[in-house]
Amino acid sequence: MIKIDQRIFVVLFILSYLTMLIGGGLLKPGYSHISQYISELNAVNTPNAALIGWFGFIPFGVFGLLLLSVTSKYVPLKGFSRIGYWLLMAEPIAYIGSAFAPCDVGCPTEGSQSQLIHNTLGAITYLFTTIGLIIISLSSNLSGKMRALWLVLAIVWFGLFSLMLEPSFSEWRGIIQRLAEWIVYGVLTASAWHFLARAKPQSL
């Protein structure tokens, strides 16, 4: 049996995100990380869309699900607060779903059936993630400072999501979306690393 340090899942999650974001951007001529949504990396009928979806979005979503599953055994959440934790799975699921239901060019609010499914996935994941963070902030197993942190994350996440959809900020929507993910994903990966560092290596 090979013993593995479960923090490898944090590393794989981060690497898959960077591969999707940076690698996908390099494969997309004229793509702007400042003004374009991440979903536009695999927009319908754009260069290398399928490649970015299958080898960018799906691996990132899978590693996100694996990280949440592995870490779930060690987080100090019980009862109702664990529902909040599992709601965070909406985010990686949405990325996987985006590979199968890519947005139209420009990711409009209306469009093809694929765009409508994509928009529904996006709305669900942002809502579920916000609710999940709020529920976690209510956990009696966390200190007052930690509860405040998770509540602030929920506010920042939903606030930046709302700002991203504001037409007057359309030229900045890409970086706004990335900022929301960097803040929330950063705290989640740092927390996962902390809890997994105290876990015993697992056999494969």
Side-chain angles (χ1 to χ4, degrees), residues 2 12 18 27 53-54 59 61 88 98-100 103 108 111 140 146 168 189:
I2 300 175
L12 291 172
L18 294 175
L27 290 172
W54 284 96
L88 299 181
S98 293
F100 295 96
C103 68
S140 59
M146 290 304 297
S168 59
T189 51

Side-chain angles (χ1 to χ4, degrees), residues 7 10 14 67-68 71-72 74-77 85 88 133 136 142 146 149-150 153 183-199:
R7 286 176 293 182
V10 176
I14 294 172
L67 180 59
L68 286 167
T71 311
S72 68
Y74 308 106
V75 294
L77 299 173
Y85 182 85
L88 299 181
L133 293 171
I136 291 173
L142 301 178
M146 290 304 297
L149 172 62
W150 292 105
L153 279 179
I183 292 172
V184 174
Y185 292 176
V187 173
L188 289 173
T189 51
S191 299
W193 185 274
H194 169 73
F195 292 121
L196 294 176
R198 302 188 300 179

Side-chain angles (χ1 to χ4, degrees), residues 93-164:
I93 288 173
Y95 266 100
I96 295 172
S98 293
F100 295 96
C103 68
D104 297 338
V105 175
C107 281
T109 54
E110 297 181 358
S112 65
Q113 183 176 11
S114 181
Q115 178 67 57
L116 295 177
I117 295 172
H118 186 90
N119 288 346
T120 301
L121 283 171
I124 290 174
T125 188
Y126 274 96
L127 179 61
F128 278 21
T129 300
T130 301
I131 294 173
L133 293 171
I134 291 173
I135 292 176
I136 291 173
S137 75
L138 300 176
S139 175
S140 59
N141 290 74
L142 301 178
S143 66
K145 290 182 179 180
M146 290 304 297
R147 291 198 298 270
L149 172 62
W150 292 105
L151 181 58
V152 169
L153 279 179
I155 295 171
V156 168
W157 176 261
F158 191 76
L160 288 175
F161 169 69
S162 301
L163 195 64
M164 181 181 72

Side-chain angles (χ1 to χ4, degrees), residues 164-186:
M164 181 181 72
L165 298 179
E166 174 59 42
S168 59
F169 287 92
S170 61
E171 294 183 2
W172 306 96
R173 64 188 186 183
I175 194 63
I176 291 172
Q177 182 184 37
R178 285 153 183 74
L179 184 60
E181 292 192 339
W182 293 342
I183 292 172
V184 174
Y185 292 176

